[in-house]
Amino acid sequence: MRPSILIVDDDEVLRETLFDVFRKKGYEVFSAGTGDETLTVIRRYLVDLILLDMRLPDVDGLDILKKIKELDTEILVIMMTAYSDVQSAVKAMKSGAYDYINKPFELEELQLLVEKGLETKSLINEVRRLHRQHRVEHRDSHIYGVSPQIQYVREMIEMISKTNKTSVLIQGESGTGKELAANAIHFSSKRSAKPLMKINCSAIPDSLLESELFGYEKGAFTDAKTTKKGLFELADGGTVFLDEIGEMKPFLQSKILRVLENQTFMRVGGEREIKVDVRAIAATNRDLEQMVRDGLFRKDLYYRLKVMVVEMPPLRERVEDILLLAKLFVEENNKEYNKDVKGFSEEAKKLLVQYSWPGNVRELKNVIERAMILTDGEYITPKQLPFELKQTEPNCAVKVISDLSDPVLGISLEDMERSHISNVLKRLEWNKSKASKALGISRATLRAKIKRYSLDAI
Ligand SMILES: Nc1ncnc2c1ncn2[C@@H]1O[C@H](COP(=O)(O)OP(=O)(O)OP(=O)(O)O)[C@@H](O)[C@H]1O
Ligand SMILES: [Mg+2]
């Protein structure tokens, strides 16, 4: 966003001279000759800095300064005062002016003052942003995994991060790494030095969500004592992460669509168009396509987001990653708790790869952390693993992998058979005649195998 300057002076010649000077410097420039015009401009446009003449035909410069500050505390105001009027200048500074300059002035002096002011302003914004964001760490955005599915995800992300504006939709079950993927996209894109602003659409009531996203103007509602910037404004130049977008109400969905299409929006209670440069990344664990069919999600927004989709695969479909991630979390916890756990016992490994991980990587991470706290030994054993892991049956043949280095060698024929029978039975809701047909064996053989593998104990 180009910085914008408003020049307020009743002297038309001076006004036009300054207008030209600053426009040539690349600023967006507005001008006004009266106090009324001034207020109209700042109500309608986003202004970063105002050069304000102390003497205006309709009002006193100091009064207008107060009104400006009431409307938008963040606008910088530089007062232009008559040489003799030191007292007013002091008053202006006390009322929140950023600085003042005596008339007549050298153009260069004014330009320096403006540049310095805008620089300070952007530094202040930057510091605020860093405060807000200090928990997001760049180095934590690596997506680990060796499975073809996760390799594909990494390739997609690499491709997406080369694009600059395209919106992205990240889909996946809970705990599969959607937020991690959003971090990865942002931090490997050209926008990485700019903010990544996140919001969870399901965690905030609808009424607040709108002002969180778009900000509000003073007086937009009772508590709006001053203006506030929303997420899209704060993320200018960077990325907005809209988590759980499926929970967003249709009236906000259409506002989001508008930002994505025009890169403009208005603050709540505002009339001025604000232009931003942001990339939106949305995430959901819901089936948006179905929601569109059910009339719960706007079709146009869905199609807009669908241009780039990243599917985060569930952990149970990429068994190769389980032990690798488990090891990674062991190392993380070793550092955190100052321990020296080496890994897992064979039985523990088996339980980890067999389990279906409904809570995906997040659940795995929690299970490992818990086990690390419980263990005193060098290896984590089934004893430190939660009950659920000992309950389940492998529901997919590859689940029995226990050797990371070569998954195929880790599966015995018996394992395969047991797992396949178990799957078929589950799928057919334990209808044994259907299952025996599907498996191509007699009912008696099926019964025998169920007994042999203790499948009825599941
Ligand atoms: N491939 C991975 N490599 C390393 N860590 C991962 C990986 N996938 C997920 N994680 C970690 O697992 C945890 C859950 O990931 P994340 O919060 O991104 O998931 P999510 O899909 O947003 O979950 P939810 O739907 O519950 O919000 C995080 O701590 C994340 O760092
Ligand atoms: Mg999440």
Side-chain angles (χ1 to χ4, degrees):
M1 217 169 13
R2 283 190 296 163
S4 52
I5 300 180
L6 167 60
I7 298 156
V8 185
D9 204 302
D10 58 336
D11 176 348
E12 207 171 321
V13 179
L14 178 70
R15 213 165 61 215
E16 295 201 338
T17 313
L18 293 180
F19 190 93
D20 284 345
V21 167
F22 285 109
R23 210 189 38 194
K24 284 204 187 95
K25 286 239 145 201
Y27 298 106
E28 186 169 0
V29 192
F30 306 98
S31 72
T34 64
D36 268 352
E37 278 174 33
T38 306
L39 296 178
T40 311
V41 171
I42 54 177
R43 279 200 190 99
R44 194 166 301 158
Y45 305 99
L46 197 71
V47 174
D48 293 307
L49 185 145
I50 302 180
L51 295 173
L52 179 61
D53 186 19
M54 190 67 97
R55 286 203 196 116
L56 289 172
D58 55 342
V59 281
D60 182 51
L62 281 176
D63 289 340
I64 203 82
L65 170 65
K66 276 187 199 125
K67 288 200 177 124
I68 292 168
K69 284 279 151 182
E70 273 171 24
L71 275 172
D72 192 337
T73 47
E74 288 181 29
I75 299 185
L76 290 187
V77 182
I78 296 176
M79 302 297 289
M80 299 186 287
T81 53
Y83 197 58
S84 51
D85 199 0
V86 181
Q87 261 188 336
S88 302
V90 173
K91 271 194 205 150
M93 296 294 283
K94 280 190 180 152
S95 314
Y98 165 72
D99 211 334
Y100 69 93
I101 188 164
N102 285 324
K103 274 180 171 177
F105 45 73
E106 295 289 329
L107 267 180
E108 221 156 282
E109 190 190 351
L110 181 67
Q111 282 176 19
L112 269 178
L113 204 56
V114 166
E115 269 164 34
K116 198 182 87 193
L118 290 172
E119 202 173 304
T120 313
K121 189 172 172 184
S122 79
L123 278 177
I124 292 172
N125 284 341
E126 183 66 8
V127 171
R128 282 203 195 123
R129 177 175 82 73
L130 289 174
H131 273 295
R132 272 197 202 95
Q133 219 185 342
H134 75 281
R135 267 176 297 167
V136 180
E137 289 162 48
H138 312 199
R139 60 188 172 77
D140 283 348
S141 61
H142 186 74
I143 301 173
Y144 288 88
V146 291
S147 61
Q149 293 97 316
I150 217 73
Q151 285 178 34
Y152 181 69
V153 165
R154 279 198 301 262
E155 281 162 24
M156 274 295 281
I157 286 177
E158 204 186 315
M159 198 184 82
I160 292 172
S161 47
K162 284 185 192 134
T163 69
N164 193 36
K165 283 242 158 73
T166 327
S167 325
V168 185
L169 178 63
I170 304 174
Q171 287 183 308
E173 290 177 13
S174 135
T176 45
K178 297 186 292 296
E179 187 167 346
L180 186 69
N183 290 344
I185 292 172
H186 174 77
F187 289 117
S188 54
S189 76
K190 276 199 208 119
R191 298 174 176 273
S192 62
K194 292 293 171 74
L196 165 63
M197 300 299 299
K198 299 180 176 182
I199 193 160
N200 185 329
C201 304
S202 74
I204 301 173
D206 297 332
S207 51
L208 276 182
L209 187 56
E210 184 177 8
S211 56
E212 284 294 316
L213 289 168
F214 304 111
Y216 53 76
E217 299 286 351
K218 176 188 153 68
F221 41 85
T222 331
D223 287 337
K225 300 259 186 285
T226 146
T227 54
K228 187 184 159 218
K229 285 186 181 175
L231 217 70
F232 277 96
E233 237 175 304
L234 294 168
D236 191 32
T239 309
V240 162
F241 177 54
L242 305 166
D243 205 358
E244 312 221 20
I245 193 152
E247 312 304 316
M248 188 182 272
K249 289 283 165 321
F251 87 99
L252 282 177
Q253 290 172 20
S254 59
K255 293 199 166 193
I256 297 286
L257 180 67
R258 200 170 151 247
V259 189
L260 299 190
E261 287 187 335
N262 311 327
Q263 302 269 304
T264 57
F265 63 92
M266 284 178 205
R267 291 179 182 157
V268 176
E271 286 167 11
R272 45 186 181 176
E273 290 254 310
I274 296 175
K275 195 158 178 56
V276 285
D277 165 29
V278 288
R279 182 213 292 266
I281 303 179
T284 183
N285 55 16
R286 305 195 38 185
D287 183 353
L288 285 191
E289 198 167 354
Q290 185 59 45
M291 288 182 75
V292 169
R293 262 182 256 129
D294 296 342
L296 296 170
F297 199 83
R298 284 186 66 116
K299 200 174 177 175
D300 43 12
L301 179 59
Y302 177 61
Y303 282 111
R304 180 91 203 174
L305 292 172
K306 220 180 81 136
V307 180
M308 292 272 187
V309 177
V310 179
E311 282 285 348
M312 297 307 292
L315 193 53
R316 66 181 168 282
E317 286 174 14
R318 44 182 172 115
V319 193
E320 311 90 299
D321 293 340
I322 296 177
L323 290 181
L324 180 138
L325 288 168
K327 265 301 241 320
L328 176 79
F329 298 140
V330 165
E331 278 154 28
E332 278 182 18
N333 284 293
N334 271 337
K335 279 190 206 128
E336 172 89 21
Y337 295 106
N338 215 356
K339 291 203 169 188
D340 191 19
V341 174
K342 302 258 185 299
F344 305 90
S345 73
E346 287 308 312
E347 306 84 76
K349 279 187 194 167
K350 204 163 175 174
L351 291 179
L352 289 172
V353 290
Q354 274 181 15
Y355 183 54
S356 64
W357 300 106
N360 295 295
V361 186
R362 185 193 307 289
E363 186 183 11
L364 175 63
K365 198 170 180 172
N366 292 341
V367 163
I368 303 299
E369 178 167 15
R370 174 177 175 275
M372 292 283 290
I373 295 170
L374 295 176
T375 188
D376 290 323
E378 287 200 313
Y379 291 91
I380 292 171
T381 68
K383 241 176 109 180
Q384 289 97 37
L385 295 176
F387 182 68
E388 313 84 89
L389 270 72
K390 298 165 201 169
Q391 276 275 295
T392 47
E393 282 305 311
N395 59 4
C396 160
V398 269
K399 285 247 153 72
V400 203
I401 301 164
S402 58
D403 182 0
L404 238 195
S405 52
D406 190 342
V408 177
L409 298 183
I411 313 166
S412 72
L413 209 52
E414 263 198 343
D415 285 338
M416 288 275 265
E417 183 173 87
R418 177 180 199 282
S419 159
H420 185 55
I421 294 173
S422 154
N423 270 337
V424 169
L425 282 167
K426 270 187 210 153
R427 185 74 60 83
L428 297 173
E429 289 168 336
W430 283 82
N431 181 324
K432 285 181 201 149
S433 29
K434 280 189 186 165
S436 58
K437 261 194 209 125
L439 291 164
I441 51 175
S442 70
R443 292 189 51 153
T445 311
L446 177 62
R447 263 199 305 276
K449 293 204 186 270
I450 290 175
K451 200 160 170 217
R452 167 147 174 246
Y453 293 130
S454 332
L455 288 173
D456 41 5
I458 304 173

mmCIF file of all heavy atoms in Angstrom, residues 175 177-180 200 241 243-244 283 362, ligand 2:
data_model
loop_
_atom_site.group_PDB
_atom_site.id
_atom_site.type_symbol
_atom_site.label_atom_id
_atom_site.label_comp_id
_atom_site.label_asym_id
_atom_site.label_seq_id
_atom_site.Cartn_x
_atom_site.Cartn_y
_atom_site.Cartn_z
ATOM 1 N N GLY A 175 -6.024 -31.998 13.160
ATOM 2 C CA GLY A 175 -4.691 -32.419 13.568
ATOM 3 C C GLY A 175 -3.770 -32.909 12.461
ATOM 4 O O GLY A 175 -2.690 -33.424 12.715
ATOM 5 N N GLY A 177 -2.245 -31.062 10.246
ATOM 6 C CA GLY A 177 -1.170 -30.122 9.923
ATOM 7 C C GLY A 177 -1.603 -28.984 9.003
ATOM 8 O O GLY A 177 -0.781 -28.433 8.273
ATOM 9 N N LYS A 178 -2.870 -28.617 9.066
ATOM 10 C CA LYS A 178 -3.358 -27.552 8.179
ATOM 11 C C LYS A 178 -2.695 -26.208 8.492
ATOM 12 O O LYS A 178 -2.280 -25.481 7.609
ATOM 13 C CB LYS A 178 -4.886 -27.421 8.287
ATOM 14 C CG LYS A 178 -5.620 -28.679 7.837
ATOM 15 C CD LYS A 178 -7.119 -28.483 7.816
ATOM 16 C CE LYS A 178 -7.718 -28.322 9.205
ATOM 17 N NZ LYS A 178 -7.572 -29.533 10.039
ATOM 18 N N GLU A 179 -2.603 -25.911 9.771
ATOM 19 C CA GLU A 179 -1.996 -24.633 10.147
ATOM 20 C C GLU A 179 -0.506 -24.634 9.810
ATOM 21 O O GLU A 179 0.047 -23.632 9.348
ATOM 22 C CB GLU A 179 -2.200 -24.382 11.641
ATOM 23 C CG GLU A 179 -1.745 -23.008 12.048
ATOM 24 C CD GLU A 179 -2.220 -22.612 13.437
ATOM 25 O OE1 GLU A 179 -3.118 -23.281 13.989
ATOM 26 O OE2 GLU A 179 -1.672 -21.637 13.969
ATOM 27 N N LEU A 180 0.108 -25.783 10.018
ATOM 28 C CA LEU A 180 1.520 -25.915 9.670
ATOM 29 C C LEU A 180 1.722 -25.651 8.178
ATOM 30 O O LEU A 180 2.660 -24.950 7.775
ATOM 31 C CB LEU A 180 1.965 -27.342 10.022
ATOM 32 C CG LEU A 180 3.429 -27.661 9.875
ATOM 33 C CD1 LEU A 180 4.228 -26.914 10.922
ATOM 34 C CD2 LEU A 180 3.669 -29.161 10.013
ATOM 35 N N ASN A 200 -9.270 -17.693 13.887
ATOM 36 C CA ASN A 200 -10.060 -18.907 13.887
ATOM 37 C C ASN A 200 -11.539 -18.521 13.863
ATOM 38 O O ASN A 200 -12.073 -18.007 14.826
ATOM 39 C CB ASN A 200 -9.739 -19.722 15.135
ATOM 40 C CG ASN A 200 -10.452 -21.052 15.114
ATOM 41 O OD1 ASN A 200 -11.544 -21.178 14.563
ATOM 42 N ND2 ASN A 200 -9.836 -22.046 15.717
ATOM 43 N N PHE A 241 -4.625 -15.929 7.402
ATOM 44 C CA PHE A 241 -5.006 -17.336 7.519
ATOM 45 C C PHE A 241 -6.375 -17.430 8.170
ATOM 46 O O PHE A 241 -6.556 -17.065 9.330
ATOM 47 C CB PHE A 241 -3.967 -18.086 8.364
ATOM 48 C CG PHE A 241 -4.315 -19.536 8.593
ATOM 49 C CD1 PHE A 241 -4.591 -20.390 7.534
ATOM 50 C CD2 PHE A 241 -4.353 -20.058 9.879
ATOM 51 C CE1 PHE A 241 -4.911 -21.727 7.742
ATOM 52 C CE2 PHE A 241 -4.668 -21.398 10.103
ATOM 53 C CZ PHE A 241 -4.950 -22.228 9.032
ATOM 54 N N ASP A 243 -8.818 -19.724 9.541
ATOM 55 C CA ASP A 243 -8.938 -21.105 9.993
ATOM 56 C C ASP A 243 -10.412 -21.433 10.194
ATOM 57 O O ASP A 243 -11.177 -20.588 10.647
ATOM 58 C CB ASP A 243 -8.165 -21.264 11.307
ATOM 59 C CG ASP A 243 -7.730 -22.696 11.531
ATOM 60 O OD1 ASP A 243 -8.070 -23.552 10.688
ATOM 61 O OD2 ASP A 243 -7.056 -22.960 12.545
ATOM 62 N N GLU A 244 -10.772 -22.667 9.882
ATOM 63 C CA GLU A 244 -12.160 -23.135 10.028
ATOM 64 C C GLU A 244 -13.140 -22.232 9.300
ATOM 65 O O GLU A 244 -14.140 -21.785 9.851
ATOM 66 C CB GLU A 244 -12.523 -23.247 11.515
ATOM 67 C CG GLU A 244 -11.448 -23.981 12.274
ATOM 68 C CD GLU A 244 -11.998 -24.950 13.303
ATOM 69 O OE1 GLU A 244 -13.173 -25.320 13.176
ATOM 70 O OE2 GLU A 244 -11.240 -25.333 14.203
ATOM 71 N N ALA A 283 -8.614 -22.615 5.790
ATOM 72 C CA ALA A 283 -8.512 -24.025 6.145
ATOM 73 C C ALA A 283 -9.850 -24.511 6.666
ATOM 74 O O ALA A 283 -10.632 -23.740 7.229
ATOM 75 C CB ALA A 283 -7.436 -24.237 7.208
ATOM 76 N N ARG A 362 -1.575 -34.317 15.648
ATOM 77 C CA ARG A 362 -1.698 -33.677 16.955
ATOM 78 C C ARG A 362 -1.824 -34.724 18.057
ATOM 79 O O ARG A 362 -1.189 -34.629 19.104
ATOM 80 C CB ARG A 362 -2.900 -32.743 16.994
ATOM 81 C CG ARG A 362 -3.008 -31.963 18.310
ATOM 82 C CD ARG A 362 -4.348 -31.294 18.470
ATOM 83 N NE ARG A 362 -4.728 -30.463 17.322
ATOM 84 C CZ ARG A 362 -4.163 -29.324 17.024
ATOM 85 N NH1 ARG A 362 -3.194 -28.851 17.772
ATOM 86 N NH2 ARG A 362 -4.554 -28.640 15.980
HETATM 87 MG MG MG B 2 -5.705 -25.806 13.048
#
